[in-house]
Amino acid sequence: MKVLGVNAVFHDPAAALVIDGVTVAAAEEERFSRRKHGKSPVPFSTWELPEQAMAWCLSHAGIAPADLDAVAYSYDPELAPQPDGDITASEWEGLRTLYARRAPLFLQTVLPGLDPDRVRWVPHHVAHAASATFPSGFDPCAVLVLDGRGERASHLAGRFEDGRFTPLAAQVLPHSLGLLYEELTAHLGFRRSSDEYKVMAMASYGRPAFLAELRDLVRTDGAGGFSVAPVDLAAFAPALAPDAEFTARHADLACSVQRRLEEVLLDLALWLHASTGLRDLVMAGGVALNCVANSRIWAEGPFERVWVQPASGDSGTALGAALHVAAELGDAVGPMPTAALGRGWDDDALAARLARAGIPFEAPADLPGAVAEVLASDGVVAWFQGRSEFGPRALGHRSLLADPRRAENLEKLNDIKGREQFRPVAPMVLAERAAEVFCDGPIPSPFMLFTHRVRPGWAERIPAVVHVDGTARIQTVDRREEPLVAAMLEAFAARTGVPVVVNTSLNTAGRPMVDDPRDALECFGSAPVDALAIGRFLVRRPAAAAPVADAGAMTATESIGTPGRREPRGAEAA
Ligand SMILES: [Fe+2]
């Protein structure tokens, strides 16, 4: 069966193609449109479809819309609030439902030849659940989905066995842990539905000073659900304007909400374990991108194994919806060994792109060694290899790499990316040496969804990747799955004795992750990156001319990791 999954309703529009139970392609629209998160999550944008991502998935597989057995749409308008009265006036929710209901016709318009009767609705949280159950390879397993909202709920818990999902609990709106975290994100001057991970980073600078109050406001109900009373965030700390400096109170508020979130998730996990008696847990939904909370569930929760979908945000519902429908149609759906499900180019195509750009490049016999040499000489390398990642994490396919031994590389990378200096960058580490450097987290951890503590003796050796709380969000690299990345790490370890390299996503300020070679060349041309490793080629930056004084120069005088520090004046918000 050929099933195209589509996420279009809220944010992070995406498409995924599953053929005979195998995920052959998955991509987010932002990587094509270059518009971060694809679109605004407002009701009147619901008609917008991930047109380029859908078209690419089909062309990648060499099939036409008429060949599709089903299109799985990750939202069921019949479960949502129904249009009532003048939906263009004050209450716009009905507009979302109306547009979602019309999706088959919209899809037919952009996918000529598609039979609109082949479109199937998949409830939003069922799609999230399927994005974790089938890909995990765990069967049976318990399932926990938490996000801002779906049709009428913000949470779904259940059991998965023999390829079938059975719901056990769902929390209806307005109670939503995801929306509370989004409110806090906006309150702290960040972008809602986008910058929640900045709040998580800020929380590390605070104390849980308001935890007692939050325990009163946010409660579990003992039946697998929870309640969130209206929270007056301003009573704890005043709202921050974008780019304003945060105070200790703001960090304390971030810390308190983060801690309460962790406690509630642990409670929900305990209930789910007691209800199912199962050994393994899988998670998805935007809240499952909170790697600090995931780590507490792993360390303190009742489950033996915890698997989190790397595309846990709404883009992952395109994949989940497709997998769910493929299983319904009778296909045996297999696990997901990699997140590298996006576009890729072969070396001939890359060489042609480089030649067309008129850029000198070399083809080193030992590319991993040449890259390790640049890194060990304190260079920053843009690393563009294989197919792009599905989901928000760079996992060694579209990455910026640097030497973790130099603390100043944190500031350097945050400046390249126009990010706040309080935000950490993450390490990738050879899987077989991960336990030597990191502890208190699952190993292997190939998708960067958990935090680990950096072992004593190593923190001072790799200061660029150690967050203020002594943790790091690691990616373990297995040479069987990622031979080229592993070879680069080995070459770096051979030169430095350190099996760890800084890995952050390949993008500049406010831009989606680089996806195609032109994006890579634009990024390389516009940012102080020393080399671009693209396919088997290496592009080196010519010896720099004298730097031009500009606003960015002020960053050199500021210290790393100072609470309250934002990006330099003139830089775009990340
Ligand atoms: Fe969602």
Side-chain angles (χ1 to χ4, degrees):
M1 293 290 172
K2 301 179 181 70
V3 184
L4 181 70
V6 176
N7 172 54
V9 169
F10 298 109
H11 39 70
D12 298 305
L17 183 63
V18 174
I19 298 181
D20 298 335
V22 176
T23 305
V24 298
E28 286 156 276
E29 186 72 1
E30 67 161 26
R31 308 292 162 85
F32 299 83
S33 69
R34 313 306 300 154
R35 184 182 177 195
K36 201 158 186 176
H37 298 298
K39 64 178 180 179
S40 284
V42 290
F44 55 81
S45 76
T46 303
W47 64 270
E48 286 186 52
L49 293 165
E51 291 182 39
Q52 297 182 78
M54 293 190 303
W56 171 75
C57 283
L58 296 182
S59 72
H60 176 75
I63 63 174
D67 299 328
L68 290 167
D69 296 291
V71 175
Y73 187 91
S74 62
Y75 191 84
D76 186 344
E78 294 313 308
L79 302 178
Q82 297 304 302
D84 184 27
D86 181 0
I87 55 176
T88 59
S90 57
E91 178 46 69
W92 294 23
E93 191 52 35
L95 195 60
R96 193 189 316 270
T97 309
L98 194 62
Y99 279 145
R101 203 182 282 153
R102 295 281 181 272
L105 298 175
F106 298 160
L107 283 158
Q108 186 190 36
T109 305
V110 296
L111 297 173
L114 175 75
D115 176 357
D117 287 341
R118 298 210 165 165
V119 177
R120 292 173 175 234
W121 316 110
V122 180
H124 187 74
H125 292 125
V126 170
H128 270 307
S131 79
T133 52
F134 294 107
S136 70
F138 296 172
D139 187 347
C141 60
V143 191
L144 192 54
V145 170
L146 285 140
D147 66 1
R149 56 161 297 186
E151 293 87 355
R152 287 182 184 270
S154 71
H155 149 267
L156 179 64
R159 70 179 292 138
F160 179 76
E161 192 156 14
D162 297 328
R164 296 182 68 86
F165 175 74
T166 307
L168 295 173
Q171 181 55 57
V172 295
L173 296 168
H175 305 284
S176 169
L177 296 169
L179 289 181
L180 171 64
Y181 216 89
E182 281 186 26
E183 285 296 324
L184 176 62
T185 302
H187 188 75
L188 295 174
F190 301 123
R191 187 175 169 199
R192 180 193 294 268
S193 291
S194 169
D195 294 345
E196 282 66 27
Y197 49 92
K198 298 183 184 180
V199 176
M200 191 181 70
M202 190 192 287
S204 306
Y205 291 92
R207 299 169 300 115
F210 312 120
L211 186 55
E213 291 90 333
L214 281 154
R215 282 175 176 156
D216 276 343
L217 293 163
V218 184
R219 294 167 174 271
T220 49
D221 64 8
F226 52 86
S227 61
V228 181
V231 181
D232 179 10
L233 296 170
F236 300 110
L240 272 178
D243 298 334
E245 293 200 351
F246 70 82
T247 65
R249 279 184 82 81
H250 294 105
D252 287 351
L253 176 58
C255 181
S256 303
V257 174
Q258 171 69 30
R259 286 288 168 81
R260 187 59 191 143
L261 172 75
E262 294 162 15
E263 291 177 348
V264 169
L265 292 185
L266 275 167
D267 265 5
L268 297 178
L270 278 169
W271 179 87
L272 188 54
H273 184 258
S275 304
T276 62
L278 292 170
R279 186 180 67 140
D280 298 327
L281 172 69
V282 302
M283 296 197 295
V287 177
L289 291 172
N290 192 305
C291 52
V292 175
N294 293 349
S295 294
R296 282 199 67 184
I297 291 171
W298 178 84
E300 301 169 43
F303 291 97
E304 225 170 271
R305 296 189 296 177
V306 180
W307 193 92
V308 182
Q309 163 59 241
S312 264
D314 275 359
S315 58
T317 64
L319 174 61
L323 296 172
H324 178 80
V325 168
E328 277 189 337
L329 294 174
D331 281 341
V333 178
M336 168 182 168
T338 176
L341 297 164
R343 288 186 290 177
W345 282 261
D346 64 25
D347 285 333
D348 288 346
L350 293 174
R353 293 278 190 129
L354 291 168
R356 184 169 165 221
I359 294 176
F361 61 96
E362 53 196 91
D366 175 16
L367 180 82
V371 167
E373 195 64 46
V374 176
L375 295 173
S377 308
D378 200 25
V380 173
V381 177
W383 176 264
F384 181 106
Q385 301 294 342
R387 296 177 66 177
S388 60
E389 298 90 342
F390 183 53
R393 305 278 190 258
L395 299 166
H397 291 244
R398 303 290 186 272
S399 290
L400 271 174
L401 309 176
D403 187 342
R405 297 172 303 162
R406 299 170 193 267
E408 60 272 24
N409 275 340
L410 170 63
E411 183 166 1
K412 197 167 165 181
L413 289 170
N414 277 338
D415 281 346
I416 289 173
K417 292 160 66 72
R419 303 192 336 165
E420 300 84 352
Q421 287 297 348
F422 67 82
R423 290 172 55 194
V425 289
M428 48 168 55
V429 57
L430 281 170
E432 68 268 27
R433 295 194 61 186
E436 187 187 318
V437 186
F438 304 101
C439 57
D440 298 348
I443 292 174
S445 183
F447 297 131
M448 295 174 75
L449 289 161
F450 298 88
T451 57
H452 295 63
R453 201 159 55 79
V454 184
R455 284 191 187 277
W458 274 99
E460 50 278 12
R461 292 182 70 183
I462 50 171
V465 294
V466 184
H467 194 33
V468 64
D469 58 3
T471 65
R473 189 185 63 190
I474 74 171
Q475 178 196 357
T476 57
V477 176
D478 186 318
R479 66 170 51 74
R480 289 162 300 184
E481 288 153 13
E482 295 287 351
L484 193 67
V485 182
M488 180 273 297
L489 284 164
E490 278 173 2
F492 185 76
R495 283 163 177 78
T496 64
V498 173
V500 177
V501 161
V502 181
N503 166 36
T504 184
S505 56
L506 180 54
N507 62 285
T508 49
R511 308 276 292 167
M513 269 166 69
V514 158
D515 202 78
D516 78 9
R518 190 177 65 180
D519 305 334
L521 288 168
E522 283 179 359
C523 182
F524 179 69
S526 62
V529 174
D530 299 283
L532 166 64
I534 181 164
R536 67 186 182 90
F537 308 113
L538 191 66
V539 183
R540 295 180 192 271
R541 182 171 300 286
V548 178
D550 63 13
M554 66 183 281
T555 61
T557 62
E558 297 187 16
S559 63
I560 294 168
T562 307
R565 176 153 174 240
R566 299 282 175 146
E567 59 263 69
R569 198 183 307 277
E572 283 181 74

